[in-house]
Amino acid sequence: MKRLFCILLLAASACRNEQPSTATQAPPQQQAATSAAQRDPHSYSNPDQVRVEHIALDLGVDFAKKQLSGTATLRIRNEANANTLVLDTNGLTIRRVTIGNAPVQHRLGAADPIFGSRLEIPIRPDTQSVTIDYATSPEARALQWLEPSMTAGKKHPFLLSQSQAILARTWVPCQDTPGVRFTYDATIRVPRTLLAVMSAENPQARNEEGVYQFRMPQPVPSYLLALAVGDLEFRPFDTRTGVYAEPEVIERAAFEFADTPKMMQAAERLYGPYRWGRYDLLVLPPSFPYGGMENPRLTFLTPTVLAGDRSLVALIAHELAHSWSGNLVTNATWSDFWLNEGFTTYFEHRITEALYGREYSEMLWLLDVREAQDEIEALPPGDEHLYVNLAGRDPDEAPSIVYEKGALFLRLLEETAGRERWDQFLRAYFEKFAFQPMTTPIFVNHLKTALPDVVQKVNIDQWIHGPGLPPNAPKPQSEAFARVEQQAKTFAAGGSAAAIEGERWSSHERVHFIQSLPALPPARMAELDARFRFSESGNSEVLSAWLEKSIDARYKEAYPAIERFLTSQGRRKFLRPIYEKLVKNPEDLAFARRVYARARNTYHPVSQATIDSILK
Ligand code: BES
Ligand code: ZN
């Protein structure tokens, strides 16, 4: 019987299409709890037959060539006696594949611009490991090679990686699906003046040789593979947390993120022990395309949250929360992305509440609700569901409504179950499914079993497979924000800027004020700018909200600030809405093209791809 099953699986794999996107093949064998998981439509690999369990990397970092080059040795478990190991690659030059010391004949499939090429390696039932000798392309989409001029210190180059969602395959040949986990180790050779760090046990200082050894003992999915190389210094917060940054930035970073140990305590109190050893932060140069990336043991961060007043540290709460939701219990495919990001956004708000109080966290909830409403208006039908079938699409362009809608759904479950019972449920959930992939149906079934009365009351289906925000969506409350809205209304109705009581507004109140304004005539924008100096704000959230409003108002005095903002940082969340607004008007479009011609080279490939498609 088992034999017959294997033959069927092999037959299914033989008739598999070239594109992972169009695959409708046999389901993969997931680890224990998720045997019903669907095949990942974004991976060519065949983990249902043979699984990668460990990767040993030995790579040289060549800044002149913009290339990583060396070997990846994959230890495999061939349970189905498969005769082929299929891996994901994208833009890799495969020089040689060996098993034992013997070369084997590999096959590299046709290249798809998003999914890359399948790499087929012939194996035997008893094959335990394969070694791939390879090099990356200078265009590898996960990697950004920074000139010294793009760093804070201006003296040394910098390399940073971003593997989520399916970019790990542009620098490591692997089963590039969140449904497969492996441990890893690495030897990384870098110029002597630089330090290398990874999502693994990390060095805290440079060594003479420029050769760094890494070990990652907990199994992780490929999207959490990460590497950065630069002129980095380390500063501890306490015995298990600290921050890496360039020497020019380390002081500001250590001040800004000083609450990290408290966040860790709050998170553990909520949902159980932190399972990853150390938790460190890495502040990157401003071209990093995201706010943060939850690389295990080492969260990667944009420097645009260094506001000087700790006002944007919810980002740390978010990335830390992923150490449970995402890194421990992992979305099985990118269509289940809400299980990572919705859970994490909810958890982020709970940490924020624990540290800074309910009044404060309600403001952040409300900013999210506004964001959700704006997003829903702009999304095509189907894309506002929590579960979104992303087969055939680039998961990096997945709608981000799942962050806020997912968080609101969990808040509804909390309010329906009662906080104590709900927290118990979550703690048990993270414990039970730790280090496993999670699908939407498995989560729903688990919820139905654990909290049947709650499930009956909330209309789960409408949340997961229905449009917009359902009518039972929780409604966060903030008196502070109500006052801000009142001030915005009065000003919009002709009130004077001087009469606004905004001296002591937090940055969140400022953002909310700006977002509560209707499109105003430029002269009225100028009055606000004279009063609050928004165009010069050092807070990136305030500045981006204001610059967006300025484009709506065609408030020309802010355009030099827009140009500065677009050419001094590459965070996609800030770039995208500004470029999207600029292309709507011919005069602004010319401005956008001129600025982008100057800025494009400084953006990470992830941001380049997004802005290219806006300006195409
Ligand atoms: N994991 C995400 C970043 C990500 C998502 C990278 C999808 C690639 C594909 C990270 O945790 C995140 O959500 N970052 C947000 C932070 C915010 C919501 C606090 C960001 O970068 O803006
Ligand atoms: Zn996240």
Side-chain angles (χ1 to χ4, degrees):
M1 181 64 202
K2 183 157 185 242
R3 255 196 111 91
L4 179 65
F5 181 61
C6 294
I7 292 168
L8 287 174
L9 278 177
L10 287 175
S13 92
C15 57
R16 212 161 258 173
N17 288 327
E18 272 297 313
Q19 277 232 355
S21 53
T22 49
T24 49
Q25 295 79 21
Q29 298 237 285
Q30 296 290 350
Q31 285 147 6
T34 53
S35 52
Q38 282 163 21
R39 186 171 188 280
D40 181 349
H42 298 114
S43 173
Y44 294 104
S45 67
N46 58 341
D48 45 338
Q49 301 171 343
V50 44
R51 270 176 183 271
V52 172
E53 291 188 325
H54 182 86
I55 299 184
L57 296 171
D58 188 331
L59 296 173
V61 178
D62 187 332
F63 279 94
K65 288 191 185 154
K66 300 188 178 177
Q67 187 181 64
L68 303 180
S69 163
T71 59
T73 298
L74 281 52
R75 198 177 76 221
I76 59 174
R77 191 186 173 91
N78 186 1
E79 291 221 306
N81 293 339
N83 56 19
T84 309
L85 169 68
V86 185
L87 299 176
D88 294 294
T89 72
N90 192 350
L92 300 182
T93 302
I94 308 296
R95 293 187 290 230
R96 204 165 104 104
V97 180
T98 51
I99 295 178
N101 283 316
V104 295
Q105 194 56 52
H106 66 271
R107 253 189 54 200
L108 199 58
D112 176 274
I114 296 168
F115 304 110
S117 315
R118 56 196 290 150
L119 171 61
E120 295 185 354
I121 300 171
I123 54 170
R124 297 203 323 216
D126 60 348
T127 304
Q128 288 182 0
S129 86
V130 304
T131 297
I132 301 156
D133 187 339
Y134 73 101
T136 61
S137 142
E139 277 83 48
R141 277 220 279 157
L143 305 178
Q144 192 180 15
W145 301 86
L146 305 184
E147 301 293 332
S149 64
M150 292 169 61
T151 66
K154 314 277 181 217
K155 288 199 287 287
H156 301 279
F158 202 105
L159 168 66
L160 61 93
S161 75
Q162 169 57 42
S163 297
Q164 194 182 9
I166 55 168
L167 304 180
R169 65 189 70 177
T170 72
W171 67 288
V172 179
C174 61
Q175 297 184 317
D176 197 7
T177 165
V180 171
R181 314 176 78 89
F182 50 86
T183 51
Y184 76 87
D185 63 70
T187 301
I188 305 287
R189 300 154 207 285
V190 305
R192 270 170 233 270
T193 50
L194 305 181
L195 178 67
V197 288
M198 294 189 82
S199 51
E201 290 173 359
N202 273 309
Q204 293 185 343
R206 274 203 312 271
N207 64 40
E208 283 295 304
E209 298 74 37
V211 180
Y212 296 90
Q213 312 281 350
F214 299 88
R215 206 175 70 95
M216 183 54 181
Q218 290 96 359
V220 290
S222 56
Y223 78 91
L224 297 175
L225 280 171
L227 168 69
V229 180
D231 180 17
L232 292 171
E233 204 174 302
F234 176 75
R235 186 75 66 84
F237 296 123
D238 65 2
T239 54
R240 67 167 165 166
T241 64
V243 59
Y244 294 83
E246 287 186 70
E248 293 75 13
V249 179
I250 192 79
E251 205 65 58
R252 283 162 66 210
F255 172 83
E256 201 82 32
F257 305 131
D259 280 345
T260 304
K262 280 192 209 148
M263 288 187 178
M264 176 64 91
Q265 284 157 21
E268 288 193 308
R269 233 177 277 133
L270 282 167
Y271 302 130
Y274 178 77
R275 307 276 292 262
W276 305 90
R278 290 195 60 86
Y279 180 70
D280 294 319
L281 309 173
L282 168 63
V283 180
L284 294 158
S287 65
F288 184 58
Y290 294 105
M293 177 64 213
E294 65 272 26
N295 296 316
R297 291 168 181 258
L298 186 65
T299 281
F300 280 28
L301 293 170
T302 173
T304 62
V305 290
L306 297 170
D309 60 1
R310 301 181 179 165
S311 58
L312 303 180
V313 296
L315 176 68
I316 309 295
H318 180 97
E319 305 311 336
L320 172 64
H322 272 306
S323 307
W324 288 259
S325 42
N327 298 5
L328 213 50
V329 183
T330 308
N331 54 206
T333 72
W334 297 115
S335 301
D336 301 295
F337 189 48
W338 77 277
L339 294 173
N340 273 22
E341 297 300 343
F343 274 61
T344 295
T345 303
Y346 170 82
F347 193 170
E348 165 200 336
H349 291 320
R350 291 295 305 275
I351 295 172
T352 302
E353 181 186 326
L355 261 79
Y356 308 115
R358 177 96 175 173
E359 262 177 56
Y360 190 88
S361 61
E362 286 292 277
M363 291 199 278
L364 301 191
W365 270 105
L366 279 168
L367 290 177
D368 274 4
V369 172
R370 154 115 49 191
E371 184 126 349
Q373 285 158 346
D374 291 351
E375 275 165 339
I376 284 166
E377 271 178 39
L379 285 172
D383 275 13
E384 343 125 66
H385 301 185
L386 284 180
Y387 179 87
V388 185
N389 183 356
L390 292 174
R393 292 166 67 177
D394 182 351
D396 276 345
E397 301 295 336
S400 58
I401 177 72
V402 297
Y403 282 71
E404 300 86 19
K405 186 173 176 178
L408 282 167
F409 177 47
L410 293 205
R411 177 162 165 161
L412 173 66
L413 293 172
E414 178 207 313
E415 289 178 356
T416 310
R419 183 169 270 196
E420 205 175 313
R421 217 171 139 222
W422 173 245
D423 282 351
Q424 254 168 28
F425 167 83
L426 278 184
R427 214 173 297 125
Y429 169 79
F430 291 128
E431 170 75 33
K432 179 172 162 81
F433 297 104
F435 298 106
Q436 290 180 39
M438 179 57 61
T439 69
T440 301
I442 289 169
F443 168 71
V444 170
N445 279 336
H446 177 67
L447 188 69
K448 282 181 177 160
T449 311
L451 300 172
D453 54 313
V454 174
V455 170
Q456 278 205 337
K457 289 183 198 145
V458 295
N459 200 350
I460 288 202
D461 229 45
Q462 195 183 1
W463 276 90
I464 295 180
H465 301 291
L469 289 183
N472 62 355
K475 308 223 165 9
Q477 299 294 330
S478 160
E479 275 177 36
F481 268 23
R483 282 194 296 274
V484 166
E485 283 157 37
Q486 195 48 54
Q487 306 266 349
K489 234 190 201 151
T490 310
F491 179 78
S496 80
I500 300 168
E501 291 160 19
E503 304 71 46
R504 295 173 45 201
W505 277 343
S506 65
S507 69
H508 311 300
E509 288 163 294
R510 280 165 204 260
V511 168
H512 188 61
F513 175 76
I514 294 166
Q515 292 182 337
S516 298
L517 294 168
L520 294 168
R524 300 246 63 203
M525 292 291 283
E527 284 174 46
L528 288 175
D529 217 2
R531 164 85 204 273
F532 292 106
R533 304 254 160 244
F534 287 138
S535 295
E536 292 152 42
S537 176
N539 186 293
S540 57
E541 295 287 345
V542 173
L543 184 61
S544 81
W546 176 251
L547 298 179
E548 282 187 47
K549 213 29 103 182
S550 299
I551 301 169
D552 292 343
R554 313 218 64 245
Y555 168 52
K556 287 300 189 167
E557 281 75 2
Y559 279 49
I562 295 175
E563 178 157 3
R564 269 198 305 281
F565 195 51
L566 295 178
T567 53
S568 59
Q569 53 80 37
R571 189 174 169 188
R572 191 172 68 161
K573 165 184 145 170
F574 290 149
L575 302 180
R576 179 170 19 207
I578 292 182
Y579 280 107
E580 274 172 353
K581 282 182 188 286
L582 290 173
V583 299
K584 287 189 184 143
N585 167 311
E587 199 182 315
D588 286 345
L589 176 62
F591 168 76
R593 287 198 196 286
R594 186 172 61 71
V595 174
Y596 189 47
R598 200 150 81 72
R600 188 177 188 282
N601 273 336
T602 69
Y603 295 165
H604 188 283
V606 162
S607 292
Q608 286 179 347
T610 300
I611 310 306
D612 283 351
S613 76
I614 295 172
L615 287 178
K616 76 173 176 288

